[in-house]
Structures are given as C-alpha cells and as structure tokens.
C-alpha cells in the first residue's frame, strides 16, 4: 500500500514538473522516447517507474531524482514560477507607466499644434 502511494506521488510530481514548465505530454514523451500512453501511466501512478527512467526524467526536467520523489522540492519549483510571474508583473507595470507617459506627450502635442 505504501509502495502504491509512493508511485502515485512520484507520478503526480512528474506531472506537476511538466505543467510547471508548460510542456505537453507528447513533447515530454518524445524527448524521453516513450509513448504518450506510457507517460500518462507514469503520471497517473498506473505503472512502476524504474530508477533509470526516473534518472532520465530528472535529467530532462533539470531537477534531482530526490526532487521528483519529494513533494517539498516540487513546491519550491512552484515558488520559482510564482517569483518569475511577480517579476514579469512588475515589468508590465513599468511598461504601462511608460505607455501612459507617452500617451500624455501625444495628447500634449495634439493640443499644442491644434490637431
């Protein structure tokens, strides 16, 4: 029973890695040289995963094997994504401010030259 729970957790963590990197099952399966059905069974905990396949998956996602086994590290991956999104939001706010300044200049020019 504990073994099945571990297989389910590993599969869920692999799926979370895939989704966090915005990759489709077909893309990952092709890179791993396995079928989409085989990847789906791994992600859903329907099949055992051997150590060499686990190592291959870890290498593909550029994470450690332990991070696939442990939920704690997949949470930190999500935190990385959250931090990246926060940075992008900040950049977007800065660009919005620039656009507003440029719009004001255009309006001022229209008023100045009576267009």
């Amino acid at each position: 029973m504990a073994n099945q729970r571990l297989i389910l957790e590993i599969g869920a963590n692999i799926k979370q890695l895939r989704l966090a990197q915005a990759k489709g099952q077909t893309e990952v399966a092709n890179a791993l040289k396995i079928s989409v059905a085989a990847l789906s069974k791994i992600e859903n905990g329907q099949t055992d995963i051997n150590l060499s396949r686990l190592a291959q998956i870890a290498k593909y996602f550029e994470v450690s094997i332990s991070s696939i086994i442990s939920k704690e590290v997949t949470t930190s991956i999500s935190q990385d994504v959250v931090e990246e999104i926060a940075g992008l939001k900040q950049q977007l706010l800065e660009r919005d401010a620039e656009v507003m300044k440029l719009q004001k200049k255009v309006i001022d020019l229209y008023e100045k030259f009576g267009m």
Side-chain angles (χ1 to χ4, degrees), residues 68-106:
I68 294 175
I69 295 170
S70 163
K71 277 195 172 218
E72 295 170 14
V73 178
T74 57
T75 301
S76 71
I77 290 169
S78 296
Q79 182 60 34
D80 290 344
V81 171
V82 168
E83 289 173 8
E84 183 178 358
I85 289 171
L88 292 171
K89 282 183 178 178
Q90 183 60 37
Q91 289 177 2
L92 186 58
L93 287 172
E94 291 168 4
R95 297 298 181 263
D96 278 347
E98 286 179 41
V99 167
M100 288 173 51
K101 285 179 186 177
L102 291 172
Q103 286 174 335
K104 184 176 180 342
K105 283 184 181 181
V106 168

Side-chain angles (χ1 to χ4, degrees), residues 40-77:
S40 179
K41 286 181 180 182
I42 290 170
E43 287 184 351
N44 292 310
Q46 296 173 349
T47 187
D48 281 335
I49 182 169
N50 63 38
L51 190 55
S52 62
R53 179 70 67 204
L54 196 56
Q56 180 189 25
I57 292 169
K59 182 178 180 182
Y60 176 77
F61 287 113
E62 299 178 342
V63 296
S64 67
I65 291 172
S66 64
S67 73
I68 294 175
I69 295 170
S70 163
K71 277 195 172 218
E72 295 170 14
V73 178
T74 57
T75 301
S76 71
I77 290 169

